[in-house]
């Protein structure tokens, strides 16, 4: 299913100012779309208007070309689930009962959860490591624990589209990783995942698409590597930041380090902005995955860059239970970066790019 916003415009009447102006974006099966922007830019408003919880003044939201306003309520929430920001609640529901509420769109009006529903709820709790919360009241658990329960409730609906509002904000490192890993795994199986975030690094590491709101209603939408840049972070958030690489044993991960608040007079200045993205390079990508299911997805991604690929060799290594693919690329550095970033966000995939030296001046490209 493809969720699409066409020329979406929204304003709060009492403020008499446009919050979202002619927004166009789309996300389909397998996409992870990150929505970024400073506080007050309209990220949550965008999600709520996207789902029809707020009414667009102009434009519309569609699922597979059909205006969501024309989709029956139960049918809509059978294919789409929403995880709001966790707030304190006085609900008397236990965590298990709250999660089972997610099954309501798949049950009859007067039906009760059956054994299958309960089993699914328990499996989701185990997956998110929150089984210990099963009998606890939602009013008696922490904000971070409640966030995980709300995510579990959304997954219980078995949606095609999962929308999350700042899912990592109240979570510790472990639970942040659980949520991000879950999104990556679901997207790899064909689900559409859309999330608001205050962490540009999470967008770079997990999302293949990004939508960045800027003050005044401007926005940028596209591939994450072209949206989440030092220059765009500067103009959207008003800070100087550096995007760098962190090398791990299996991958090279992108990270974003904020350096200092930008002065108003320095608008447009950008630190460490490359400018060499269109420079032609030769690079070798080493790709390793233990998942045979991932090899077909890797091949699809490589096919999209076939115009730059001059050599490719793949082989299974049964002794270690992995598949190894080496790809040689001759093309713009931006193409190598895009391909590397796209492969890096796949679960159970390790990838690194090695660049050839410029032998004319003996420096590395």
């Amino acid at each position: 299913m493809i969720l699409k916003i066409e020329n979406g415009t929204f304003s709060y009447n009492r403020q008499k100012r446009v919050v979202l102006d002619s927004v166009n974006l789309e996300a389909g099966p397998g996409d992870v779309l990150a929505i970024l922007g400073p506080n007050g830019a309209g990220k949550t408003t965008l999600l709520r208007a996207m789902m029809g919880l707020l009414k667009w003044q102009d434009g519309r939201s569609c699922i597979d070309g059909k205006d969501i306003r024309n989709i029956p309520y139960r049918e809509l929430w059978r294919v789409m689930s929403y995880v709001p920001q966790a707030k304190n609640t006085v609900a008397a529901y236990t965590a298990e009962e709250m999660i089972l509420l997610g099954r309501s769109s798949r049950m009859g009006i007067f039906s009760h959860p059956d054994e299958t529903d309960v089993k699914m709820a328990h499996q989701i709790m185990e997956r998110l490591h929150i089984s210990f919360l099963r009998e606890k009241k939602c009013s008696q658990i922490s904000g971070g624990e409640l966030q995980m329960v709300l995510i579990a409730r959304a997954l219980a609906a078995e949606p095609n589209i999962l929308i999350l509002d700042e899912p990592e904000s109240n979570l510790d490192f472990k639970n942040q990783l659980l949520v991000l890993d879950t999104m990556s795994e679901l997207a790899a199986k064909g689900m559409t995942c859309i999330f608001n975030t205050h962490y540009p690094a999470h967008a770079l590491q997990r999302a293949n698409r990004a939508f960045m709101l800027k003050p005044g209603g401007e926005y940028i939408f596209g591939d994450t590597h072209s949206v989440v840049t030092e220059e765009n972070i500067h103009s959207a958030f008003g800070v100087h930041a550096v995007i760098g690489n962190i090398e791990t044993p299996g991958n090279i991960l992108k990270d974003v380090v904020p350096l200092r608040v930008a002065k108003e007079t320095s608008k447009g200045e950008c630190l460490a902005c490359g400018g060499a993205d269109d420079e032609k390079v030769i690079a070798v990508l080493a790709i390793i995955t233990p998942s045979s299911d991932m090899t077909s997805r890797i091949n699809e991604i490589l096919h999209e860059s076939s115009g730059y690929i001059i050599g490719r060799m793949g082989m299974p290594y049964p002794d270690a239970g992995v598949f190894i693919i080496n790809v040689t690329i001759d093309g713009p550095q931006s193409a190598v970066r895009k391909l590397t970033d796209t492969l890096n966000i796949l679960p159970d995939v390790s990838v690194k790019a090695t660049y050839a030296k410029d032998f004319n001046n003996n420096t590395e490209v």
Side-chain angles (χ1 to χ4, degrees), residues 90 120 175 184 210 259 267 271 328 347:
V90 293
M120 173 172 286
N175 284 320
S184 296
L259 299 180
K267 186 176 181 179
L271 291 185
T328 306

Side-chain angles (χ1 to χ4, degrees), residues 7 59 92 113 119 159 175 206 212 252 271 304 308 338 365:
N7 301 313
K119 183 178 179 181
N175 284 320
R206 302 291 180 152
M212 185 179 290
I252 295 178
L271 291 185
E304 294 171 2
Y308 302 119
K338 177 181 178 181
V365 174

Side-chain angles (χ1 to χ4, degrees), residues 250-303:
N251 298 75
I252 295 178
L253 301 177
K254 296 285 187 181
D255 198 11
V256 181
V257 180
L259 299 180
R260 66 179 186 273
V261 175
K263 296 179 181 179
E264 292 294 330
T265 55
S266 63
K267 186 176 181 179
E269 177 188 354
C270 177
L271 291 185
C273 288
D277 272 0
D278 291 327
E279 182 178 344
K280 195 174 182 182
V281 298
I282 296 175
V284 176
L285 267 62
I287 308 164
I288 303 176
T289 179
S291 171
S292 58
D293 293 337
M294 275 298 107
T295 56
S296 59
R297 179 63 182 136
I298 291 170
N299 287 331
E300 290 175 5
I301 293 171
L302 293 177
H303 180 72

Side-chain angles (χ1 to χ4, degrees), residues 54-338:
L54 293 173
K55 184 179 179 181
W56 292 113
Q57 268 76 52
D58 291 300
R60 63 177 191 162
S61 298
C62 304
I63 293 179
D64 286 346
K66 187 175 183 179
D67 193 320
I68 64 170
R69 291 172 294 188
N70 299 325
I71 301 176
Y73 183 84
R74 285 180 62 82
E75 182 182 333
L76 176 64
W77 293 104
R78 191 175 292 124
V79 300
M80 184 167 63
S81 282
Y82 174 48
V83 183
Q85 295 179 31
K87 304 292 185 182
N88 292 333
T89 177
V90 293
Y93 294 117
T94 64
E96 180 182 55
E97 291 168 339
M98 180 67 81
I99 294 166
L100 284 169
L101 286 176
R103 300 293 299 164
S104 59
S105 64
R106 297 191 173 275
M107 296 188 295
I109 296 176
F110 300 107
S111 299
H112 295 281
D114 59 20
E115 184 178 342
T116 301
D117 297 317
V118 173
K119 183 178 179 181
M120 173 172 286
H122 291 177
Q123 289 174 340
I124 294 171
M125 283 188 278
E126 290 176 7
R127 180 180 193 173
L128 296 179
H129 297 198
I130 56 172
S131 296
F132 69 97
L133 296 174
R134 190 167 72 186
E135 301 301 326
K136 290 188 177 182
K137 302 285 188 182
C138 289
S139 56
Q140 298 173 347
I141 62 180
S142 71
E145 290 171 336
L146 177 59
Q147 183 75 69
M148 298 298 288
V149 170
L150 295 178
I151 291 170
R153 182 182 67 179
L155 294 179
E158 299 181 274
N160 300 99
I161 302 168
L162 179 64
I163 300 176
L164 309 97
D165 194 353
E166 298 182 14
E168 342 93 294
S169 292
N170 294 318
L171 303 181
D172 57 29
F173 284 156
K174 177 183 176 182
N175 284 320
Q176 284 186 17
L177 285 172
L178 283 172
V179 171
L180 294 170
D181 286 347
T182 298
M183 282 198 303
S184 296
E185 292 165 6
L186 293 171
K189 294 178 181 178
M191 186 180 291
T192 303
C193 296
I194 301 171
F195 72 112
N196 280 355
T197 182
H198 282 300
Y199 302 97
H202 289 175
L204 284 169
Q205 294 168 12
R206 302 291 180 152
N208 64 314
R209 291 189 169 193
F211 182 97
M212 185 179 290
L213 279 164
K214 297 184 177 184
E218 295 182 46
Y219 71 88
I220 309 170
F221 171 64
D223 294 330
T224 305
H225 78 283
S226 63
V227 172
V228 185
T229 65
E230 293 166 356
E231 184 176 7
N232 289 337
I233 290 172
H234 171 264
S235 60
F237 293 91
V239 299
H240 293 299
V242 170
I243 297 176
N245 296 326
I246 297 177
E247 185 166 353
T248 73
N251 298 75
I252 295 178
L253 301 177
K254 296 285 187 181
D255 198 11
V256 181
V257 180
L259 299 180
R260 66 179 186 273
V261 175
K263 296 179 181 179
E264 292 294 330
T265 55
S266 63
K267 186 176 181 179
E269 177 188 354
C270 177
L271 291 185
C273 288
D277 272 0
D278 291 327
E279 182 178 344
K280 195 174 182 182
V281 298
I282 296 175
V284 176
L285 267 62
I287 308 164
I288 303 176
T289 179
S291 171
S292 58
D293 293 337
M294 275 298 107
T295 56
S296 59
R297 179 63 182 136
I298 291 170
N299 287 331
E300 290 175 5
I301 293 171
L302 293 177
H303 180 72
E304 294 171 2
S305 299
S306 58
Y308 302 119
I309 294 176
I310 59 173
R312 176 173 165 182
M313 182 178 70
M315 59 173 283
Y317 183 34
D319 290 353
V322 297
F323 297 84
I324 302 170
I325 305 171
N326 287 307
V327 180
T328 306
I329 299 174
D330 183 357
Q333 187 167 325
S334 58
V336 179
R337 288 178 175 173
K338 177 181 178 181

